[in-house]
């Protein structure tokens, strides 16, 4: 009986030793950074992920006469425009940048569930800047103010075209998602899902 007791004691000691060794050697559970730190890192990465597109187009412009309170001045204005025929044509170059407004990104756009993270991207921004040094005036008798109107109308038209271009917006989204997914996987998350709205939390 004593022999059996010693055997059981030895076996129990071995089991406990093995269990202790496993507890010591097993990998620690994943440790994720706090949410504000994740948000800031995502902002930093997203700032670098903008899609730059070079644009150019031939544009024409004919300004309308400005109305006044005096009838005869209006007549003179119309006569002057009819005689002088102000007009302008130019090839205008611009740069468009598509990216997400991560200044509006915060913890309400992020939800963590274990090793899975849900992300709602903020609204997309489109900015267009003209390259006046490359603008080529083909034919123009416009004054400086009218030329400025011509260029501003071209900039607005470029911006509207880019905003309506689903292909360009998808390219910008794909680029941002790749960069953010890479960051979050590096931080230890195993699954990154980009969604239109965060899933509703269920009571456990």
């Amino acid at each position: 009986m004593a022999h059996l007791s010693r055997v059981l004691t030895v076996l129990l000691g071995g089991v406990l030793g093995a269990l202790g060794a496993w507890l010591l050697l097993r990998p620690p559970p994943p440790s994720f950074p706090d949410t504000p730190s994740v948000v800031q890192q995502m902002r930093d990465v997203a700032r670098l992920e903008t899609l730059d597109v070079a644009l150019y187009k031939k544009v024409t412009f004919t300004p309308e006469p400005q109305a006044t309170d005096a009838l005869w001045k209006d007549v003179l204005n119309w006569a002057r425009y009819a005689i002088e025929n102000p007009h302008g044509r130019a090839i205008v170059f611009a740069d468009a940048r598509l990216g997400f407004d991560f200044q509006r990104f915060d913890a309400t756009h992020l939800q963590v569930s274990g090793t899975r993270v849900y992300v709602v991207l903020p609204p997309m921004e489109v900015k267009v800047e003209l390259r006046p040094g490359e603008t080529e005036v083909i034919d123009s008798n416009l004054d400086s103010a009218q030329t400025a109107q011509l260029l501003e109308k071209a900039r607005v038209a470029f911006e509207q075209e880019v905003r309506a271009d689903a292909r360009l917006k998808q390219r910008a989204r794909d680029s941002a998602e790749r960069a953010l997914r890479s960051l979050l996987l590096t931080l230890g998350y195993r699954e990154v899902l980009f969604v239109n709205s965060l899933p509703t939390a269920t009571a456990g």
Side-chain angles (χ1 to χ4, degrees):
M1 191 71 176
H3 176 69
L4 179 59
S5 177
R6 285 196 298 271
V7 171
L8 291 175
T9 300
V10 171
L11 288 175
L12 181 59
V15 170
L16 291 175
L19 179 60
W22 178 79
L23 290 173
L24 290 173
L25 295 176
R26 70 171 180 169
S31 176
F32 302 114
D34 58 84
T35 299
S37 174
V38 174
V39 168
Q40 185 57 51
Q41 291 184 64
M42 293 178 71
R43 284 177 175 173
D44 293 341
V45 168
R47 285 194 190 99
L48 303 177
E49 289 302 317
T50 55
L51 179 64
D52 294 324
V53 182
L55 308 168
Y56 73 93
K57 182 170 289 188
K58 182 184 294 185
V59 295
T60 60
F61 179 64
T62 303
E64 295 294 332
Q66 297 297 315
T68 69
D69 294 332
L71 175 62
W72 286 108
K73 284 188 177 180
D74 287 342
V75 172
L76 291 175
N77 278 339
W78 279 105
R80 181 170 61 85
Y81 272 79
I83 296 171
E84 297 179 2
N85 184 28
H87 62 275
R89 287 190 301 155
I91 300 177
V92 182
F93 291 82
D95 291 316
R97 305 193 73 186
L98 295 87
F100 291 91
D101 183 10
F102 266 77
Q103 291 301 317
R104 298 171 62 179
F105 186 84
D106 55 28
T108 63
H109 293 76
L110 198 68
Q111 182 173 312
V112 176
S113 177
T115 58
R116 175 184 298 168
V117 58
Y118 297 92
V119 179
V120 176
L121 292 175
M124 181 173 290
E125 285 187 318
V126 176
K127 294 182 179 180
V128 173
E129 294 183 358
L130 299 181
R131 290 185 280 172
E134 298 181 30
T135 295
E136 180 183 348
V137 177
I138 302 171
D139 177 28
S140 176
N141 63 358
L142 304 177
D143 60 29
S144 58
Q146 292 166 339
T147 300
Q149 292 179 35
L150 166 66
L151 296 178
E152 176 59 18
K153 285 181 178 291
R155 188 195 66 77
V156 171
F158 277 136
E159 187 172 293
Q160 290 174 346
E161 283 190 358
V162 173
R163 289 185 185 278
D165 193 322
R167 182 182 59 85
L168 284 179
K169 291 194 292 187
Q170 188 60 49
R171 281 176 56 191
R173 184 181 183 90
D174 291 344
S175 177
E177 288 187 1
R178 279 195 303 271
L180 294 173
R181 178 176 285 109
S182 177
L183 167 67
L184 292 169
L185 292 176
T186 300
L187 294 177
Y189 300 102
R190 295 182 180 176
E191 188 176 5
V192 180
L193 299 176
F194 292 93
V195 294
N196 293 325
S197 60
L198 298 178
T200 303
T202 57

